[in-house]
């Protein structure tokens, strides 16, 4: 079976497809609608969105229009990073469901341990309050799995020591050069699946000459090397593209990087992402 058709089992038994389509920075309307339709046609069964991406309406419509049964598509959305209270989390989840046009969600994540406008702020109590709301929706069958995003080990400890359900997933920025080893080790030891967002470093990693050499040697593209590297580190990559050929190319990762190539890639350190 091809990787794009495979899944990993979360700690609660729910199956999470091995690769997902990322939709961060994909505009609501035609762009988001088309990239989701193209991805579903190319075999993706896992779509990642967030209230903060402001494209849930188009993502949901594309999924509904695809004709593929809802139960065959794994859909993730996220609680906006500034919502750190129980009532706010409940309202936001209902808003997300309405925007997507669904009656349940496969995975709902706390988008970040702090508001994006106040990175590093102590929101321990707020994260626990939001998590309790998510636990209730989970127990009521409205969400099949719950998790967090951008959480480091201490952020996860706060949830695990004070709440009932251990997060099923932690979605983090993860790409060649940004190995986040401490978070990976922490999560893998606790059966928390790591999802890799920006697995191509928002595209900036692709021009790395060492990755280019590894790609040539394996007769694949740099993007395929990046995705394969994530898979071989037991993470679930969420590459984003709005182009049909790339959406398709990012599913063609049924090759193996040798231990020697993995070592070469692991030795790359640094985050080349630029934000302007
Ligand atoms: P585009 O959407 O125009 O195809 P990440 O997943 O790390 O956020 O990276 C997304 C960036 O990488 C986008 O700029 C996307 O451009 C680009 N991209 C996605 N897939 C490929 C690919 N196979 N080859 C080259 N660039 C790609």
């Amino acid at each position: 079976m091809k990787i794009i058709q495979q899944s990993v089992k979360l700690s609660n038994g729910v199956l999470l497809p091995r690769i997902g389509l990322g939709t961060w920075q994909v505009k609501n309307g035609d762009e988001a609608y088309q990239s989701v339709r193209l991805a579903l046609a190319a075999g993706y069964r896992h779509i990642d969105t967030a209230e903060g991406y402001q494209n849930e309406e188009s993502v949901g419509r594309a999924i509904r229009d695809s004709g593929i049964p809802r139960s065959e598509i794994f859909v993730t959305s996220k609680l906006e990073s500034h919502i750190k209270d129980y009532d706010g989390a409940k309202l936001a989840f209902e808003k997300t469901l309405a925007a997507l046009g669904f009656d349940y969600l496969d995975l709902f994540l706390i988008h970040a341990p702090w508001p994006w406008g106040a990175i590093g702020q102590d929101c321990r109590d707020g994260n626990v309050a939001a998590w309790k709301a998510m636990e209730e929706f989970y127990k009521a069958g409205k969400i099949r799995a719950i998790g967090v995003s951008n959480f480091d080990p201490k952020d996860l400890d706060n949830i695990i020591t004070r709440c009932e359900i251990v997060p099923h997933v932690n979605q983090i920025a993860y790409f060649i050069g940004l190995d986040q080893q401490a978070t990976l080790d922490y999560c893998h030891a606790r059966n928390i699946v790591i999802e890799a967002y920006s697995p191509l470093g928002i595209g900036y990693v692709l021009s790395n000459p060492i990755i280019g050499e590894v790609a040539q040697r394996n007769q694949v593209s740099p993007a395929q090397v990046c995705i394969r590297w994530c898979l071989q580190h037991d993470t679930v990559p969420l590459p984003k593209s709005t182009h049909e050929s790339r959406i398709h190319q990012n599913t063609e990762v049924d090759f193996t990087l040798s231990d020697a190539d993995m070592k070469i890639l692991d030795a790359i350190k640094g985050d080349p992402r630029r934000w302007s």
Side-chain angles (χ1 to χ4, degrees), residues 22 24-26 31 35 44 174-175 196-206 221-224 226-227 238-251 273:
W24 176 43
Q25 293 180 323
V26 181
E31 191 175 72
S35 57
Y44 292 71
Y174 185 74
F175 50 82
Y197 77 78
S198 302
L200 316 177
I202 336 178
Y204 291 113
V205 167
L206 301 176
S221 72
Q224 289 167 317
C226 291
I227 293 166
L238 307 171
K240 168 261 174 187
S241 179
T242 51
H243 291 91
E244 184 170 14
S245 62
R246 292 171 170 177
I247 287 171
H248 181 76
Q249 182 193 113
N250 296 346
T251 70
R273 288 176 298 175

Side-chain angles (χ1 to χ4, degrees), residues 194-214:
I194 294 271
E195 292 184 336
Y197 77 78
S198 302
L200 316 177
I202 336 178
Y204 291 113
V205 167
L206 301 176
S207 54
N208 181 298
I210 301 171
I211 298 175
E213 277 172 33
V214 173

Side-chain angles (χ1 to χ4, degrees), residues 52-99:
Y53 302 169
Q54 299 180 355
N55 59 19
E56 285 172 318
E57 183 274 325
S58 303
V59 168
R61 192 158 42 84
I63 290 169
R64 291 195 310 277
D65 287 357
S66 72
I68 299 167
R70 171 69 186 88
S71 60
E72 290 177 20
I73 304 175
F74 192 101
V75 186
T76 301
S77 193
K78 311 185 188 83
L79 178 69
E80 279 221 81
S81 66
H82 65 273
I83 299 173
K84 299 295 181 198
D85 65 291
Y86 175 87
D87 290 335
K90 287 209 132 175
L91 270 175
F93 175 69
E94 298 288 8
K95 202 173 145 205
T96 273
L97 271 193

